CSV table of all heavy atoms in Angstrom, one decimal:
chain,number,residue,atom,x,y,z
A,4,LEU,N,-10.8,-7.9,8.0
A,4,LEU,CA,-11.8,-7.2,8.9
A,4,LEU,C,-13.2,-7.2,8.5
A,4,LEU,O,-14.1,-7.0,9.3
A,4,LEU,CB,-11.3,-5.7,9.0
A,4,LEU,CG,-10.0,-5.5,9.7
A,4,LEU,CD1,-9.6,-4.0,9.7
A,4,LEU,CD2,-10.1,-6.0,11.2
A,5,TYR,N,-13.5,-7.5,7.2
A,5,TYR,CA,-14.9,-7.4,6.7
A,5,TYR,C,-15.3,-8.8,6.2
A,5,TYR,O,-14.5,-9.7,6.1
A,5,TYR,CB,-15.0,-6.4,5.6
A,5,TYR,CG,-14.8,-5.0,6.1
A,5,TYR,CD1,-13.6,-4.3,5.9
A,5,TYR,CD2,-15.8,-4.3,6.8
A,5,TYR,CE1,-13.4,-3.0,6.3
A,5,TYR,CE2,-15.6,-3.0,7.3
A,5,TYR,CZ,-14.4,-2.4,7.1
A,5,TYR,OH,-14.3,-1.1,7.5
A,6,HIS,N,-16.6,-8.9,6.0
A,6,HIS,CA,-17.2,-10.1,5.5
A,6,HIS,C,-16.5,-10.5,4.2
A,6,HIS,O,-16.1,-9.7,3.4
A,6,HIS,CB,-18.7,-9.7,5.2
A,6,HIS,CG,-19.6,-10.9,4.9
A,6,HIS,ND1,-19.6,-11.6,3.7
A,6,HIS,CD2,-20.4,-11.6,5.7
A,6,HIS,CE1,-20.4,-12.6,3.8
A,6,HIS,NE2,-21.0,-12.6,5.0
A,7,SER,N,-16.5,-11.8,3.9
A,7,SER,CA,-15.8,-12.4,2.8
A,7,SER,C,-16.4,-11.9,1.5
A,7,SER,O,-15.7,-11.9,0.4
A,7,SER,CB,-15.7,-13.9,2.8
A,7,SER,OG,-17.1,-14.4,2.9
A,8,ASP,N,-17.6,-11.4,1.5
A,8,ASP,CA,-18.2,-10.9,0.2
A,8,ASP,C,-17.4,-9.8,-0.4
A,8,ASP,O,-17.5,-9.6,-1.7
A,8,ASP,CB,-19.6,-10.3,0.5
A,8,ASP,CG,-20.7,-11.4,0.7
A,8,ASP,OD1,-20.4,-12.6,0.4
A,8,ASP,OD2,-21.8,-11.1,1.2
A,9,ILE,N,-16.7,-9.1,0.4
A,9,ILE,CA,-16.0,-7.9,-0.2
A,9,ILE,C,-14.6,-8.3,-0.7
A,9,ILE,O,-13.9,-7.5,-1.3
A,9,ILE,CB,-15.9,-6.8,0.9
A,9,ILE,CG1,-15.9,-5.4,0.2
A,9,ILE,CG2,-14.7,-6.9,1.8
A,9,ILE,CD1,-16.3,-4.3,1.0
A,10,TYR,N,-14.2,-9.5,-0.5
A,10,TYR,CA,-12.9,-10.0,-0.9
A,10,TYR,C,-13.0,-11.1,-2.0
A,10,TYR,O,-12.1,-12.0,-2.1
A,10,TYR,CB,-12.1,-10.5,0.3
A,10,TYR,CG,-11.9,-9.5,1.4
A,10,TYR,CD1,-12.6,-9.6,2.6
A,10,TYR,CD2,-10.9,-8.5,1.2
A,10,TYR,CE1,-12.4,-8.6,3.6
A,10,TYR,CE2,-10.7,-7.5,2.2
A,10,TYR,CZ,-11.4,-7.6,3.4
A,10,TYR,OH,-11.2,-6.7,4.4
A,11,LYS,N,-14.0,-11.0,-2.9
A,11,LYS,CA,-14.1,-12.0,-4.0
A,11,LYS,C,-13.3,-11.5,-5.1
A,11,LYS,O,-13.8,-11.0,-6.1
A,11,LYS,CB,-15.6,-12.1,-4.4
A,11,LYS,CG,-16.5,-12.8,-3.3
A,11,LYS,CD,-17.9,-12.8,-3.9
A,11,LYS,CE,-18.9,-13.0,-2.8
A,11,LYS,NZ,-20.2,-12.5,-3.2
A,12,PHE,N,-11.9,-11.7,-5.0
A,12,PHE,CA,-11.0,-11.2,-6.0
A,12,PHE,C,-11.3,-11.7,-7.4
A,12,PHE,O,-11.0,-11.0,-8.4
A,12,PHE,CB,-9.6,-11.6,-5.6
A,12,PHE,CG,-9.1,-10.9,-4.3
A,12,PHE,CD1,-9.1,-11.6,-3.1
A,12,PHE,CD2,-8.5,-9.7,-4.4
A,12,PHE,CE1,-8.7,-11.0,-2.0
A,12,PHE,CE2,-8.1,-9.0,-3.3
A,12,PHE,CZ,-8.1,-9.7,-2.0
A,13,ASN,N,-11.9,-12.9,-7.5
A,13,ASN,CA,-12.0,-13.4,-8.9
A,13,ASN,C,-13.3,-12.9,-9.6
A,13,ASN,O,-13.5,-13.3,-10.7
A,13,ASN,CB,-12.0,-14.9,-8.8
A,13,ASN,CG,-10.5,-15.4,-8.8
A,13,ASN,OD1,-9.7,-14.8,-9.5
A,13,ASN,ND2,-10.2,-16.3,-8.0
A,14,THR,N,-14.2,-12.2,-8.8
A,14,THR,CA,-15.4,-11.8,-9.5
A,14,THR,C,-15.3,-10.3,-9.7
A,14,THR,O,-15.2,-9.5,-8.8
A,14,THR,CB,-16.6,-12.0,-8.5
A,14,THR,OG1,-16.4,-13.3,-7.9
A,14,THR,CG2,-17.9,-11.9,-9.2
A,15,PRO,N,-15.5,-9.8,-11.0
A,15,PRO,CA,-15.5,-8.4,-11.3
A,15,PRO,C,-16.7,-7.8,-10.6
A,15,PRO,O,-17.7,-8.4,-10.5
A,15,PRO,CB,-15.6,-8.3,-12.8
A,15,PRO,CG,-15.3,-9.7,-13.3
A,15,PRO,CD,-15.6,-10.6,-12.2
A,16,VAL,N,-16.5,-6.6,-10.0
A,16,VAL,CA,-17.6,-5.9,-9.3
A,16,VAL,C,-18.4,-5.1,-10.4
A,16,VAL,O,-17.9,-4.3,-11.1
A,16,VAL,CB,-17.0,-4.9,-8.3
A,16,VAL,CG1,-18.0,-4.0,-7.7
A,16,VAL,CG2,-16.2,-5.7,-7.3
A,17,SER,N,-19.7,-5.5,-10.4
A,17,SER,CA,-20.5,-4.9,-11.5
A,17,SER,C,-20.8,-3.5,-11.1
A,17,SER,O,-21.1,-3.2,-10.0
A,17,SER,CB,-21.8,-5.7,-11.8
A,17,SER,OG,-22.7,-5.4,-10.8
A,18,SER,N,-20.5,-2.6,-12.1
A,18,SER,CA,-20.7,-1.1,-11.8
A,18,SER,C,-21.0,-0.4,-13.1
A,18,SER,O,-21.0,-1.0,-14.2
A,18,SER,CB,-19.3,-0.6,-11.3
A,18,SER,OG,-18.4,-0.6,-12.3
Side-chain angles (χ1 to χ4, degrees):
L4 291 178
Y5 292 105
H6 193 281
S7 56
D8 284 348
I9 211 159
Y10 301 105
K11 291 181 199 156
F12 292 96
N13 279 319
T14 316
V16 173
S17 79
S18 70

